[in-house]
Each structure stands twice: as structure tokens, then as C-alpha cells.
Amino acid sequence: MVLLPESSKSTPQVHPDSNLLLTLEPYTATSTLLEFARKDAVGAVMRSCVRILGSWTRLAWSSASWTLVVCLLLVRDETSESQDAKAPSCLSREDHALLSSLPLDGSLTFSNTSSAASDFGLIHFALPAAIVYPKSVRDVQVAVSAVASSPGLTLAARGRGHSVHGQAQGSAALKTGSWAVCQEEENHALNGVVIEMTSLKGIRVAPHGEPGFGQPFVDAAGGELWIDVLKATLKEGLAPRSWTDYLYLSIGGTLSNAGVGGQTFLVGPEISNVLQLDVVTGLGHSVMCSQTKNADLFHGVLGGLGQFGIITSARIVLEPAHEKVRWVRAMYTDFATFTRDQEMLISQPPGLAFDYIEGFVVLKNEDFNNGWNSVPFDGQTIDPSMIPDEGGSVLYYIELVKKFNWNDMGTLNQTVEKMLAPLRFIPTLIFTTDVPYEKFLNRLHDVEVSLSSQGLWDVPHPWLNLFVPRSSITSFDALIFKHMIKGDFSGPILIYPLKRERWDSRSSAVIPDESIFYLVAFLRISLPSSGPLLSSLIAENDKIMEVCHNAELGCKMYLPEHVDPESWKRHFGIKRWETFARRKRKYDPHFVLAPGQNIFPRIQPEHASLHATAVA
């Protein structure tokens, strides 16, 4: 049932005993509603409703009031569930009994599941039927096996929920602005179970390796965060080689995608720096896999979007950690020069290369968040007279890092100057600072703390991440950066080159088929009180994808989100899709895992073999 007035004059009929699917259209919420949600004793669901409402505009107040009524009904259902032991209305008695009887070392709850109903994107919402908090690998096996035995359940592993389009939700995410509670049984709705992997702990550092693994490594549970792995390894003077820019992400989450950052050009993504995995497949089997043992599963899970198994532990390569870094930012007006210098930098031999290279696009204005004044360190400002007139509406800068120890200080300046000498940046617009190694790697945490204090962290993040072939990057600049990026753009824009040779083609990760390609990331936010509407930002992302498709730029979506099987097949390409579908049939034959990715629909166990043939 959809409860939404088609116009301000229509009156929806609310049936208390019905299963509800609430679809919210744009309208502006007032601070009164927000304050009510903050004070309400059952605010978990209410806040989620208001969060949706606060992102939208243009609906008449009569419609808005009915929307609020439905939100209150959801709150009533949520609280009544916590007050008695009856099963949630969207679970069959059989499934409720099945999940209730699981012999877990950890715990399971049917109440307060709204904590896993959305993710960092705050775009898609799907209320799970239950949440499992595992304390052991056996808990994960038990939960997966139980879900696989029921035709009405699906399951997703969730780390920090830092996906943007509902990929870590326990059921297929609904369209923008939707809140899923239950659907009528005749619509074949699936009930999602979420495994909160952050409750599965364990970090073991082997600074001297062990028999069979001659190099230092760390074993980390799939739910552990990279920041905690860093802290544990630094105690031994070691650290992983490859990083994402933000460290409060789970091991299993990033390895299920790729894990890309400023070191990727040099040592590959995080998935290229894994020695071994422990995985619970869609059949509930716990399997150890590596390059030489169960290699097909090993490569499939890395970058596999959670489709073949849940990573319960990963063995990750370590290297000696340095004490500090020299951090450099150099600005450009000319895109061709900017990309030429980046490609020259990533082509240097490892001993002569910088340890980190990323590029950024900023607006050609004085804004401290997105303009040229966001580039200097330590709150410095740039005199507008220093900005050359040439170029379009945007500027570019390269960010570089050279790691060093205290005993390198005598030669550091000379070394860095020599490495910078071939570059053709604007000579007066280069900025440097020295910071501790750990502080640099965890640099975005300070940003998070600052934004959280201003109420700007828990807002929608309609991010778009692309891999763009080198052959198309100039056209991308002309069509997107110079044509579509306007003065009200809010959020960083990243652009930096990667080398295909650092990626293992056997993994499930999808990248362009060129020796050099670029990561381009539009990391926008939607503010409830100012700026473009969330719906407008999503429409702009769709427009960027449309322009790329029409211009045949060959872009691939990183952290992909597609809505139908045909789009996924195009994303993978024919041969890679055949491999991906084969692995799905082998390791998750009932199509239980990661339904939020919207790749494979859930099927009943007795129909698994028939459906597996169909999707191939």
C-alpha cells in the first residue's frame, strides 16, 4: 500500500492493520518537526522520517501533515514491538521462530532496527527485520545458514554503513526518499537481516611473518576498522601499504569494493595487498582462501560487492612505518599541464616516486570550502591577484606526500625540491607542511569532527565515483568540469591517475581497459537549510552519467549502483559478467547475500539451479 496524496486535495486512507510502504515526495520540514524528533522518546524512527522530510521541498502542507501521520504510525508500530514479544508484522511466524532460535554467541534483535535502515548516503532506506551482532565466526555461519534455508529472507553484512546507495542494507534498497517497512506478501517482498560486523573483533600483528608468509602482516577481523588496525600496527613500527582517504571504514567493507587512495598508483588498491581471507559463503561454509588455496573464491570476494561471501578475517601486508610526511599542494590553471604532471609523477620508479599522489578540482572563487582558499595549509589565504586569468571556471591542484624519518631531515628539502623540479605548477601557489605520519593518514577525522559539531556530517551524501580512461579525461574535463560544475557546488572533487598494472585482473573489481585511468569523485553533500535539493543533486549525477554514456567516454562506476540486471551486465562487460554470475551460482546459489546491491534477486532454494541457469 502506498500512502501518499496525489495532490494537496487528496486524503490518504490509513488502515492500522495494513503493511505499509511509505513513499515521500519533496517538501520542506520546519525546525519544529526536527525539534520534535529530537525530543521524542521513540525518536529513532521519527528522526529517520524527519531526515527524509528535511531533504525535500514543494509539497503542500496538507500532504506534509499526512506524511507526518504515517511517520507517527511507524513510530507506534516500532514501540509496540518493543513492548511485547510478538513477531514483527513483516516476518512470517516461521521466519521469526527460525531467527529467534539461532544458537548465537552474540545476540539478535527484532527491535530498534532503524540503526541499520540507512547508510552514509541517507538516500535509500530499508528497515531490516532483524539485526545480528556476531561474537564469533560461527555466529556468522549460523545466521547465513538460517537465512539460506528460508525462501523469504535475505542477509547483508554491514560494517560502518559507509555505502552511499543502500548497498549494505539487508533488502533491496528502495528508490530515493523511500522508507521501507513491509510490503504485502503477494508482492514477494523480502525480509532483510543485517549482520553488524563491527561486533566481530580481533587484530593480530605478526611483525616477522610466520612460516609460509615471510613478510610482516596483520590478521584483522572483517568488522575491525582501518584506524584501529593502523594503531595496532604502529606499535610494532609497521603499517599497511595501501589506504583509503578515510580510515573509519571496516576491513570487510573496503575489501568488498577495492579500497582506493593516494598510494594506489604505487602499491595497488587495498585488495592488491591481501595475503589471505577467511570467508563465510552464502551456503554458511567458513573457507580460508588465498592466491594458492581456493583461489577462485579469494579473487571473487575481493571487489565482489559482498555477493559471494562475508569476509570474517583478512591477512594484510605490512611495511615499515615512517615518523612524518612532507605534505605538498601545488596549483594549476591548465588541465593538460595538470594531468601531464600527474601522469609523469606516477610513472617514476618506486624509489624516486612520491609516496602519495592525488589531484583535486576547486572552484575559481575565494570560498574556504570549495574555492582556491581551501588549498593552503594552516588557515592561510590566497590573494586573488595571484590567480591567473586564463583557464575556465575551475582550478586544479596536485597533492603530494613524501614520507621521512628524523634522520632524513638533513637531505629532505633537497630531495623534495629535486622531485618537484620537472612540474609546471603556478610557482607562487605551492604550499607545504610537515605532519606526523599517523596524523596525515587520519587527516579526515578532524574534518568529520568539525562537520559533526556543525550538524553537517549526518546529512545526505549523493556521491558519485567514476573510473575514467586516460583517453577520455580531456573530454571529461571539457564536458563536465568546465561545463557542468557551477558556483554552488558543495563538496570536494577528486581526480588522480591510477595504473592498471597494480590491479589483479582476477579480482571482481571493474576498471577501464587502459594502462592508465583516473579516479574522479564528486563528493557532494545536501544541506537541509541551503543549496540545491537532494533530488537536484541526484539528477545532476544522472546527467553526468548520461553525458559520459552519450560521449562514449568508457567510464566505469566505482562503488557502483545500478537498478537492473542489464545495467549490471553492461557494467561488468560480457566476459566479466559470466565469471561474476558463475561465482554467484557456486558460492551463493540461493542468492541470499548483499541484496542491497540489486544485482541478483532472491530465489527459493528449490528453484536455485533453474534460476542460476537463467542468469548466466
Side-chain angles (χ1 to χ4, degrees):
M1 175 182 291
V2 176
L3 297 181
L4 179 69
E6 294 182 359
S7 70
S8 60
K9 295 181 181 180
S10 61
T11 303
Q13 299 298 313
V14 179
H15 300 285
D17 297 327
S18 298
N19 295 328
L20 302 177
L21 172 63
L22 173 63
T23 303
L24 302 175
E25 292 295 337
Y27 106 99
T28 300
T30 66
S31 59
T32 303
L33 285 177
L34 292 170
E35 193 63 28
F36 173 80
R38 293 190 189 103
K39 294 179 179 179
D40 190 61
V42 290
V45 174
M46 189 64 226
R47 281 193 298 273
S48 299
C49 291
V50 172
R51 193 179 291 130
I52 304 168
L53 302 179
S55 302
W56 304 95
T57 63
R58 298 180 189 152
L59 194 66
W61 270 106
S62 58
S63 298
S65 61
W66 278 110
T67 300
L68 184 57
V69 166
V70 179
C71 286
L72 290 171
L73 286 174
L74 301 185
V75 173
R76 182 203 65 185
D77 288 344
E78 180 81 359
T79 54
S80 64
E81 179 191 22
S82 65
Q83 293 170 355
D84 58 56
K86 77 173 185 177
S89 59
C90 50
L91 273 179
S92 68
R93 293 182 182 274
E94 293 79 10
D95 285 339
H96 184 268
L98 172 68
L99 296 174
S100 298
S101 66
L102 297 183
L104 300 173
D105 299 318
S107 61
L108 177 146
T109 182
F110 299 104
S111 304
N112 302 319
T113 60
S114 59
S115 63
S118 61
D119 56 17
F120 185 67
L122 284 180
I123 297 172
H124 298 273
F125 299 82
L127 195 70
I131 300 178
V132 175
Y133 297 92
K135 291 296 183 183
S136 62
V137 173
R138 189 186 71 86
D139 281 355
V140 179
Q141 291 182 260
V142 166
V144 172
S145 296
V147 169
S149 71
S150 170
L153 296 175
T154 54
L155 181 143
R158 175 187 172 94
R160 279 297 296 269
H162 213 265
S163 55
V164 176
H165 296 281
Q167 291 97 326
Q169 291 171 351
S171 58
L174 299 183
K175 67 180 181 178
T176 300
S178 298
W179 179 269
V181 180
C182 303
Q183 296 184 48
E184 298 293 348
E185 190 170 332
E186 59 267 28
N187 290 335
H188 306 291
L190 301 173
N191 296 314
V193 176
V194 168
I195 298 186
E196 285 283 4
M197 293 298 293
T198 52
S199 66
L200 189 64
K201 299 293 186 180
I203 298 175
R204 180 179 73 94
V205 182
H208 306 294
E210 64 181 32
F213 296 93
Q215 58 197 121
F217 65 81
V218 57
D219 286 330
E224 291 284 3
L225 304 185
W226 284 96
I227 180 62
D228 295 321
V229 170
L230 174 62
K231 291 177 179 179
T233 58
L234 284 177
K235 293 177 182 178
E236 300 289 345
L238 299 166
R241 301 189 302 190
S242 187
W243 297 97
T244 54
D245 292 336
Y246 180 67
L247 303 187
Y248 286 76
L249 305 173
S250 70
I251 301 296
T254 60
L255 296 183
S256 295
N257 289 281
V260 176
Q263 303 87 359
T264 301
F265 80 95
L266 191 61
V267 296
E270 288 176 343
I271 60 173
S272 293
N273 292 273
V274 177
L275 299 172
Q276 180 177 293
L277 295 172
D278 290 306
V279 175
V280 173
T281 69
L283 292 168
H285 301 155
S286 182
V287 181
M288 189 277 286
C289 53
S290 66
Q291 294 265 12
T292 58
K293 185 174 182 179
N294 299 310
D296 184 63
L297 179 62
F298 178 77
H299 295 301
V301 168
L302 294 173
L305 307 176
Q307 291 297 315
F308 315 123
I310 297 172
I311 297 172
T312 57
S313 180
R315 179 164 292 182
I316 300 162
V317 177
L318 300 179
E319 67 176 5
H322 287 70
E323 294 169 330
K324 302 194 74 174
V325 305
R326 171 66 53 88
W327 194 354
V328 181
R329 291 172 178 168
M331 296 188 68
Y332 295 75
T333 56
D334 180 66
F335 185 76
T337 304
F338 166 71
T339 53
R340 182 202 72 88
D341 280 1
Q342 284 199 92
E343 291 175 19
M344 182 271 294
L345 286 166
I346 71 167
S347 299
Q348 299 301 308
L352 302 176
F354 281 95
D355 299 297
Y356 160 103
I357 299 171
E358 290 190 1
F360 295 81
V361 180
V362 295
L363 301 176
K364 204 169 187 180
N365 60 38
E366 300 180 62
D367 185 75
F368 280 89
N369 294 314
N370 301 299
W372 62 63
N373 276 324
S374 65
V375 181
F377 296 105
D378 302 322
Q380 301 173 351
T381 61
I382 295 176
D383 186 332
S385 64
M386 300 170 65
I387 304 297
D389 292 332
E390 68 265 17
S393 58
V394 296
L395 298 164
Y396 316 93
Y397 73 92
I398 298 177
E399 186 170 74
L400 307 165
V401 159
K402 181 64 177 175
K403 297 184 290 189
F404 68 93
N405 295 316
W406 285 112
N407 56 8
D408 300 321
M409 286 297 296
T411 58
L412 179 65
N413 290 341
Q414 182 180 0
T415 299
V416 172
E417 288 175 6
K418 183 177 180 180
M419 297 172 73
L420 292 172
L423 306 185
R424 293 187 289 179
F425 53 83
I426 303 169
T428 55
L429 295 176
I430 182 170
F431 309 93
T432 65
T433 188
D434 293 347
V435 298
Y437 176 63
E438 181 180 0
K439 181 176 177 62
F440 169 74
L441 290 178
N442 199 26
R443 62 198 178 278
L444 291 188
H445 184 58
D446 290 340
V447 176
E448 176 185 0
V449 171
S450 175
L451 292 176
S452 295
S453 68
Q454 303 172 62
L456 300 178
W457 186 255
D458 189 21
V459 297
H461 295 82
W463 287 5
L464 177 63
N465 294 270
L466 301 174
F467 290 139
V468 182
R470 178 183 182 272
S471 61
S472 300
I473 199 64
T474 300
S475 297
F476 192 95
D477 174 62
L479 293 170
I480 308 299
F481 292 148
K482 288 187 171 68
H483 183 67
M484 296 185 65
I485 303 304
K486 308 299 181 184
D488 60 354
F489 191 94
S490 178
I493 305 174
L494 282 67
I495 169 174
Y496 54 89
L498 306 172
K499 300 165 72 173
R500 184 179 178 84
E501 66 186 50
R502 301 301 183 191
W503 296 65
D504 193 323
S505 61
R506 294 169 294 180
S507 78
S508 294
V510 176
I511 58 177
D513 190 19
E514 291 191 8
S515 60
I516 293 177
F517 58 96
Y518 282 77
L519 173 83
V520 178
F522 300 93
L523 307 183
R524 288 190 277 196
I525 61 174
S526 175
L527 300 177
S529 58
S530 63
L533 300 175
L534 175 60
S535 55
S536 298
L537 298 179
I538 294 173
E540 289 178 16
N541 286 345
D542 292 341
K543 183 63 177 178
I544 290 173
M545 294 305 301
E546 179 185 351
V547 169
C548 292
H549 176 74
N550 292 341
E552 298 182 345
L553 299 186
C555 301
K556 294 292 184 180
M557 191 178 290
Y558 176 53
L559 311 178
E561 49 105 9
H562 298 288
V563 297
D564 57 77
E566 289 304 314
S567 297
W568 280 108
K569 290 178 183 179
R570 287 193 296 271
H571 170 76
F572 283 100
I574 295 176
K575 290 185 178 180
R576 293 187 67 85
W577 171 255
E578 290 175 350
T579 299
F580 198 80
R582 175 188 60 78
R583 286 170 170 166
K584 184 68 170 180
R585 296 193 302 270
K586 182 176 181 179
Y587 302 113
D588 183 24
H590 305 319
F591 295 19
V592 168
L593 300 176
Q597 296 281 359
N598 286 306
I599 305 177
F600 301 99
R602 173 70 161 105
I603 57 174
Q604 296 186 8
E606 60 267 27
H607 298 151
S609 60
L610 176 63
H611 186 79
T613 302
V615 298

